[in-house]
Amino acid sequence: MTRADLVIVANRLPVDRIEGPDGEPAWRRSPGGLVTAVEQVMQGMDGAWVGWGGQPDLDLEPFVFDDTLLVPVSLSREDLRDYYEGFSNGTIWPLYHDVIATPEFKRSWWDAYVRVNRRFAEAAAEHAADGGFVWVHDYQLQLVPQMLRELRPDVTIGYFHHIPFPAYALFAQLPWRRQVLDGLLGADVIGFQRVADAGNFQRSIRRLLRYPTKGDTVTVPTIDTTPRTVISKAYPISIDADQFLELARRPDVIARAARLREQIGSEKIMLGVDRLDYTKGIRHRLKAYGELLADGLITGEHVTLIQVASPSRPGVEAYQDLRDEIEITVGRINGDYSTVETTAIRYLHQGFPREEMVALYLAADVMLVTALRDGMNLVAKEYVAVRQDNTGVLLLSEFAGAADELGSALLVNPHDIEGMKDTMMRAVSMPVAEQTRRMKTMRRKVIENDVAKWGKKFLADVNALRPREVGE
Ligand code: GDG
């Protein structure tokens, strides 16, 4: 049995199953952010990755891909319905995003969540080397740290929470709130996106479990030994800025951006890029833009809006409803304000290659990030990273984690439609000197604090707890 010094545990494996050239199934690296983030940490180390292979009932043995041992966890259609679409995306996701949609509390979903979390914990326990480090990722796997600690008390456990952690009054609604806190506290280091998330978590610990907290630590009592100290702290995630800059410097990408501008033809381009999710504030953004057109403050020839809404969670009802609402709104606005020659909103319910995303970022005068609640929002950081000439305006929701670092953006409250309209007008007419001043400050932050630094900071806190460093 192969065992690794570093084991990543995430809902998905970092690969997609595709049809190979010979018609046989093959694997292709998926372009996700977590892969790049962790890749840097894994370099030169014996690494394994535990996760679901992306298709139901895929019962496969562990295999090596790109020097990493991939350990597929099999999920049945029922598991996917109850653990993934159900408890993860129908209960935890809306509850942790300030109940923007109503969370459903179903006991059968919880049972599936426990069952599947155990499966992930067992796979991690089987593949971690003696005294190794296991890094668990995100809200689908909050019970894994404790389950793993019971199976393998010798390993060091980290957990990173990519989405917000809600205020106590909301978290307290969860019927299984204690179990979730106990599950997370199985880790040695628990990472959050914002200082406020770590604060909310500690408040819930104090109120519900009555464990003492001090600074970045929680003291967890144990039955037979001295209490354990758990670190719970903010580690704001970032992007691989160099990789984005490299794309932004490629002649074909630059040429594509110029062509897009020319073809669109309007004076200004505003851009939104989001997974089609109710947390992203796409409806609010469309409403503000539609009203500016209705008020006659702008025309479609003057300001075009490109909205990429990449398909997401089509099996969850709230997402189907959201898609309908957005598509009706886009249809109405275009019906009223497009002309034979110009289209007010170019709406794309599709995923695009990263090159195309970067070309869009380069073509856009204004980037709209109007999330009602967002753990971090990497799109905001990607836009900033590629704007090498220091032009462009980022309009950023104060409810996205990125607002903590990107205070030089035009910050908005997306619920305040009048405020958003004013800020959009300010964004499309901002003098270049002001754009440059703001963009320079933001670019410095994003480039200095890239994802490699994020990984290093998390690992430094993990290593401080260990007799030997991870990777030694
Ligand atoms: C969760 C948290 C947190 C999107 N469409 C396409 C595409 N993307 C890429 C973006 C960006 C990523 O997907 C989206 O990241 P976000 O951070 O904006 O949002 P979530 O997906 O909700 O991520 C979030 C994040 O985890 C990390 O911790 O920041 O708060 O919700 O990289 O560029 N990429 C390509 N084609 C698309 O059509 N290639």
Side-chain angles (χ1 to χ4, degrees):
M1 176 64 56
T2 326
R3 292 181 154 211
D5 285 334
L6 168 66
V7 180
I8 302 293
V9 189
N11 178 58
R12 280 286 271 113
L13 283 175
V15 289
D16 294 317
R17 201 163 149 91
I18 52 161
E19 197 176 301
D22 47 3
E24 289 294 298
W27 295 96
R28 183 185 55 199
R29 211 166 171 283
S30 56
L34 186 57
V35 186
T36 15
V38 169
E39 185 178 61
Q40 318 234 3
V41 180
M42 266 196 174
Q43 263 170 25
M45 255 194 266
D46 227 3
W49 189 306
V50 174
W52 175 51
Q55 288 171 12
D57 294 311
L58 208 55
D59 216 348
L60 297 172
E61 286 303 309
F63 60 97
V64 175
F65 183 91
D66 265 0
D67 293 334
T68 304
L69 178 72
L70 301 186
V71 183
V73 173
S74 173
L75 297 180
S76 66
R77 284 182 199 281
E78 199 189 7
D79 291 334
L80 288 167
R81 187 193 63 205
D82 295 346
Y83 145 80
Y84 182 69
E85 293 180 344
F87 198 77
S88 300
N89 292 326
T91 307
I92 295 292
W93 180 271
L95 181 68
Y96 283 25
H97 285 90
D98 289 358
V99 301
I100 297 164
T102 309
E104 280 187 75
F105 302 120
K106 284 197 188 177
R107 283 166 286 183
S108 56
W109 287 359
W110 166 253
D111 293 342
Y113 189 75
V114 176
R115 179 175 79 229
V116 171
N117 269 246
R118 193 170 304 286
R119 209 174 297 154
F120 277 82
E122 282 166 357
E126 205 177 325
H127 292 280
D130 286 343
F133 170 54
V134 180
W135 195 359
V136 183
H137 284 267
D138 227 0
Y139 65 102
Q140 302 93 349
L141 302 172
Q142 294 172 100
L143 308 179
V144 169
Q146 187 199 28
M147 290 171 169
L148 179 60
R149 178 167 294 280
E150 279 163 16
L151 295 167
R152 289 289 305 275
D154 60 300
V155 300
T156 313
I157 303 170
Y159 170 88
F160 187 75
H161 194 73
H162 290 255
I163 69 171
F165 196 89
Y168 172 74
L170 294 176
F171 182 71
Q173 291 181 12
L174 186 67
W176 307 279
R177 56 199 190 181
R178 280 166 189 278
Q179 290 95 314
V180 167
L181 293 180
D182 283 338
L184 291 168
L185 285 173
D188 297 288
V189 180
I190 307 175
F192 295 95
Q193 301 278 28
R194 306 179 91 159
V195 174
D197 297 316
N200 285 344
F201 174 70
Q202 293 203 355
R203 216 160 297 123
S204 283
I205 299 278
R206 288 195 298 272
R207 297 282 295 264
L208 292 165
L209 303 179
R210 308 238 167 255
Y211 297 166
T213 66
K214 193 176 173 207
D216 295 329
T217 61
V218 181
T219 306
V220 181
T222 55
I223 302 168
D224 45 2
T225 52
T226 46
R228 282 175 53 230
T229 301
V230 173
I231 297 176
S232 89
K233 178 173 159 185
Y235 304 86
I237 202 167
S238 194
I239 57 165
D240 185 340
D242 288 344
Q243 211 179 74
F244 275 90
L245 267 173
E246 230 169 81
L247 284 176
R249 287 184 183 132
R250 251 171 52 183
D252 58 325
V253 175
I254 295 171
R256 173 71 182 147
R259 212 161 46 244
L260 281 170
R261 278 213 73 106
E262 200 182 308
Q263 279 168 355
I264 289 166
S266 61
E267 269 170 60
K268 297 278 176 178
I269 297 176
M270 297 206 291
L271 172 68
V273 171
D274 313 79
R275 271 189 312 99
L276 199 151
D277 195 296
Y278 50 78
T279 59
K280 303 289 183 185
I282 303 172
R283 280 188 310 121
H284 296 63
R285 181 183 315 168
L286 293 176
K287 191 165 179 54
Y289 176 70
E291 287 191 16
L292 287 178
L293 291 167
D295 297 346
L297 289 169
I298 54 169
T299 62
E301 283 114 29
H302 176 208
V303 185
T304 296
L305 171 60
I306 305 178
Q307 177 63 55
V308 175
S310 39
S312 182
R313 305 175 191 167
V316 180
E317 205 183 307
Y319 288 74
Q320 297 157 6
D321 295 347
L322 176 74
R323 183 174 173 196
D324 289 346
E325 269 182 72
I326 286 176
E327 293 180 357
I328 288 172
T329 308
V330 169
R332 286 212 177 122
I333 294 176
N334 277 341
D336 287 342
Y337 302 107
S338 292
T339 64
V340 176
E341 293 86 18
T342 58
T343 308
I345 306 177
R346 295 179 184 239
Y347 166 77
L348 304 146
H349 182 251
Q350 299 162 42
F352 290 97
R354 191 167 273 176
E355 287 80 353
E356 185 74 354
M357 306 292 283
V358 172
L360 282 166
Y361 292 152
L362 291 179
D365 301 287
V366 178
M367 184 78 215
L368 301 176
V369 176
T370 60
L372 305 176
R373 180 57 79 193
D374 214 334
M376 176 54 63
N377 196 292
L378 297 180
V379 168
K381 293 190 170 181
E382 291 165 4
Y383 178 70
V384 166
V386 304
R387 304 295 305 192
Q388 284 185 85
D389 65 357
N390 292 311
T391 65
V393 181
L394 173 65
L395 189 151
L396 176 63
S397 163
E398 59 192 78
F399 303 117
D404 284 356
E405 291 161 278
L406 304 181
S408 299
L410 292 182
L411 294 181
V412 290
N413 167 5
H415 297 282
D416 171 11
I417 301 297
E418 285 303 324
M420 278 229 283
K421 285 164 65 181
D422 291 346
T423 314
M424 281 181 180
M425 289 308 291
R426 200 175 150 199
V428 292
S429 51
M430 187 185 284
V432 173
E434 186 181 349
Q435 294 180 27
T436 306
R437 186 168 48 74
R438 290 173 180 273
M439 191 55 83
K440 266 190 178 161
T441 315
M442 294 193 283
R443 291 195 75 233
R444 203 174 310 125
K445 289 232 166 100
V446 171
I447 290 165
E448 276 172 17
N449 298 302
D450 66 353
V451 74
K453 198 149 175 193
W454 167 80
K456 275 195 196 117
K457 279 190 183 157
F458 193 94
L459 225 64
D461 283 347
V462 168
N463 279 327
L465 306 169
R466 293 167 54 85
R468 63 183 166 92
E469 291 208 346
V470 175
E472 250 185 20

